[in-house]
């Protein structure tokens, strides 16, 4: 009778706890699987879309600084719009990857400065909040004007007092511009040491062609971060669920009457209260 009572008690609680345990394991496994898909998929997506670069100089400060590690989306030069920060390589500029901002495209007349010290494109003054501090708040320390040939790009650094850009190549063929084919990628984000995303400047939005659409950097980073969170949550849920199930099982075993348990309770008056104590703790 005593053995039967214990077996019967286990039979009544075992399936319920086992069911909860199995459900918890399934859910935690599913969460981890989804997390892995997002995490690894984000990295694969990033490897296809982006290339990492290290910025060599402060010519683009404060947007990006020397030593910053950036993510640049692989794009065709035909996709470049005014305001884009691009990575390009041109023999006239040293035949090495450089980072500058596009301020003019084929057919544009780019000049500086108007009476307010601002850059103008086709006679329209451009608001440039990204430009680093310069004497008198002017967009350029020296006046210039250039007409950009078709298929070319006119580029300036954001730190106009330091940048060696299209202004120092005005006597070259193309008046300092570079061909669209020289562009390798467009910078979308800084990933180290101060992570952040680069927006598209509104100052060029009213010009024909507008500005580029945002790249996929934000959803890509979001997928990686969410995937990592799901993996951690799913991995932690399984052990926690099993621990709760064991605590409930122990609490239930202390409360169930049985001949074996009754015999022990009869010999020790403290046995029953001990069982209640386990139950109270489990309930909490």
């Amino acid at each position: 009778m005593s053995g039967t009572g214990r077996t019967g008690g286990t039979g009544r609680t075992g399936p319920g706890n086992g069911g909860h345990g199995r459900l918890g394991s399934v859910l935690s496994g599913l969460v981890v699987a989804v997390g892995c898909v997002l995490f690894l998929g984000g990295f694969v997506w990033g490897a296809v879309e982006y290339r990492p670069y290290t910025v060599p100089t402060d010519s683009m400060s404060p947007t990006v600084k020397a030593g910053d590690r950036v993510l640049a989306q692989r794009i065709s030069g035909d996709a470049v719009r005014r305001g884009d920060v691009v990575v390009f390589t041109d023999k006239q500029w040293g035949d090495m990857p450089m980072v500058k901002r596009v301020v003019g495209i084929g057919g544009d007349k780019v000049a500086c400065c108007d009476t307010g010290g601002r850059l103008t494109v086709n006679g329209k003054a451009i608001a440039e909040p990204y430009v680093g501090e310069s004497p008198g708040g002017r967009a350029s320390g020296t006046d210039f004007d250039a007409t950009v040939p078709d298929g070319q790009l006119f580029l300036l650094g954001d730190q106009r007092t330091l940048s060696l850009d299209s202004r120092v190549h005005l006597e070259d063929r193309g008046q300092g511009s570079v061909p669209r084919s020289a562009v390798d990628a467009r910078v979308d984000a800084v990933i180290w040491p101060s992570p952040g995303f680069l927006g598209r400047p509104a100052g060029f939005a009213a010009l024909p062609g507008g500005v580029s659409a945002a790249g996929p950097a934000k959803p890509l980073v979001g997928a990686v971060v969410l995937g990592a969170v799901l993996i951690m949550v799913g991995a932690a849920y399984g052990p926690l669920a099993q621990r709760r199930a064991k605590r409930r099982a122990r609490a239930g075993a202390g409360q169930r009457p049985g001949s074996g348990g009754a015999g022990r309770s009869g010999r020790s008056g403290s046995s029953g209260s001990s069982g209640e104590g386990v139950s109270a703790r489990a309930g909490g």
Side-chain angles (χ1 to χ4, degrees), residues 111-120 125-128 131-132 134-144 160:
C112 194
C113 299
D114 69 357
T115 55
R118 295 170 296 182
L119 179 78
T120 64
I126 304 298
E128 296 186 284
V131 172
S134 59
R138 289 166 55 88
S140 174
T142 58
D143 290 345
F144 68 90
R160 304 283 162 81

Side-chain angles (χ1 to χ4, degrees), residues 30-249:
L30 180 60
V31 169
V32 170
V34 172
C36 287
V37 170
L38 290 173
F39 187 77
L40 297 177
F43 273 107
V44 172
W45 182 17
V48 172
E49 288 281 347
Y50 286 93
R51 292 182 63 184
Y53 289 91
T54 300
V55 178
T57 71
D58 270 324
S59 68
M60 280 298 296
S61 176
T63 305
V64 289
K65 302 177 178 64
D68 280 359
R69 192 75 168 168
V70 301
L71 280 181
Q73 185 184 15
R74 294 179 171 92
I75 61 169
S76 163
D78 294 335
V80 174
R81 299 289 183 270
R82 302 178 193 89
D84 289 346
V85 176
V86 298
V87 180
F88 67 97
T89 305
D90 185 79
K91 292 182 178 180
Q92 297 294 326
W93 293 51
D95 201 20
M96 61 181 293
M98 303 187 74
V99 180
K100 303 291 179 188
R101 187 182 296 275
V102 177
V103 298
I105 61 176
D108 286 346
K109 181 177 176 59
V110 182
C112 194
C113 299
D114 69 357
T115 55
R118 295 170 296 182
L119 179 78
T120 64
V121 178
N122 301 329
K124 176 179 174 57
I126 304 298
E128 296 186 284
Y130 46 77
V131 172
E133 293 184 6
S134 59
R138 289 166 55 88
S140 174
T142 58
D143 290 345
F144 68 90
D145 66 83
T147 300
V148 186
D150 289 341
Q152 302 279 111
L153 303 169
F154 197 87
L155 306 115
L156 298 178
D158 286 356
Q159 186 53 264
R160 304 283 162 81
T161 59
L162 298 175
S163 179
L164 300 178
D165 47 40
S166 288
R167 294 171 297 172
V168 302
H169 294 276
L170 289 173
E171 301 302 319
D172 296 348
R173 186 178 61 182
Q175 292 191 274
S177 61
V178 301
R180 284 181 175 270
S181 59
V183 173
D184 299 315
R186 177 173 52 216
V187 178
D188 272 354
V190 177
I191 56 176
W192 188 89
S194 300
F197 299 100
L198 272 64
R200 304 291 187 254
F204 296 97
L207 294 173
V211 295
S212 299
K218 285 186 179 180
L220 188 154
V221 171
V224 171
V225 172
L226 178 59
V229 171
L230 289 177
I231 290 171
M232 290 187 291
V233 170
Y237 178 81
L240 289 175
Q242 291 179 358
R243 185 178 299 177
R244 285 197 300 269
K246 289 179 180 179
R247 288 171 61 185
R248 288 169 181 163

Side-chain angles (χ1 to χ4, degrees), residues 266-277:
R267 289 192 298 271
S268 174
S270 63
S271 176
S273 62
S274 174
E276 291 173 0

